[in-house]
Amino acid sequence: MADHAPLELERFLPYRLSILSNRVSQAIAREYQDRFDLSMTEWRVMAVLARYDGEGLSASEVAARTEMDKVAVSRALTRLVEARRVSRRAHDGDKRRSVLRLSAAGWKVHDTVAPLARAHERSMLAQLSADEQRALLAILDKLAPV
């Protein structure tokens, strides 16, 4: 019989980070999914478009900034454009490139959801002391620089 060394997933850092990310994201997502029929991917796309509003991003740029799969971003953008939450127009210098921006309806959703997301973040961080919060942010900056 071969020797096996199974991973202890409950102690494996990537697994634990994934679980934490899912828990946090799903807690926030429940609110905007029910209220706005908005998926997690759609919200992340909207958040990136809002953050970089002055730049007018392409779908590829959205995928790169979110580090999400291009197909998932494309599907989310299709739904957001159909729901008129995102506008798509051809780039002035390159008709093959689309420029994406939040529409007025998209901004309305964003301006409702963003405070909910910030409140969830504050609630989660309130479980940590000020020193723990600083340490967590320093660790995140080190492991996943922005």
Side-chain angles (χ1 to χ4, degrees), residues 3 8 12 18 32 69 72 94 103-104 123-124 126 130 138:
D3 289 332
E8 290 184 50
F12 187 56
S18 176
Y32 59 72
D69 177 69
D94 182 357
S103 64
S123 174
M124 185 178 60

Side-chain angles (χ1 to χ4, degrees), residues 19-39:
I19 295 296
L20 177 61
S21 174
N22 289 340
R23 283 182 187 163
V24 171
S25 295
Q26 288 169 2
I28 298 166
R30 278 190 287 278
E31 289 191 47
Y32 59 72
Q33 284 172 340
D34 293 343
R35 200 160 165 188
F36 298 105
D37 187 30
L38 195 63
S39 73

Side-chain angles (χ1 to χ4, degrees), residues 33-121:
Q33 284 172 340
D34 293 343
R35 200 160 165 188
F36 298 105
D37 187 30
L38 195 63
S39 73
M40 232 183 297
T41 303
E42 290 165 358
W43 165 245
R44 288 178 181 166
V45 167
M46 290 180 68
V48 167
L49 291 175
R51 170 68 176 92
Y52 298 99
D53 181 55
E55 297 177 34
L57 301 177
S58 68
S60 294
E61 291 167 328
V62 170
R65 290 185 190 267
T66 59
E67 296 193 27
M68 290 189 296
D69 177 69
K70 287 182 183 181
V71 173
V73 169
S74 178
R75 285 187 189 130
L77 282 166
T78 297
R79 273 189 37 108
L80 291 167
V81 169
E82 287 172 358
R84 299 184 182 205
R85 292 174 172 165
V86 169
S87 66
R88 182 190 317 249
R89 67 172 176 76
H91 186 273
D92 295 334
D94 182 357
K95 301 298 181 200
R96 296 169 297 169
R97 180 178 182 258
S98 292
V99 176
L100 303 159
R101 286 203 162 81
L102 290 183
S103 64
W107 276 110
K108 187 174 180 180
V109 171
H110 173 274
D111 292 345
T112 303
V113 174
L116 297 173
R118 288 185 195 104
H120 277 282
E121 178 189 42

Side-chain angles (χ1 to χ4, degrees), residues 6-17 19:
L7 278 175
E8 290 184 50
L9 283 178
E10 63 279 4
R11 301 211 179 278
F12 187 56
L13 180 63
Y15 179 78
R16 292 180 76 186
L17 290 173
I19 295 296

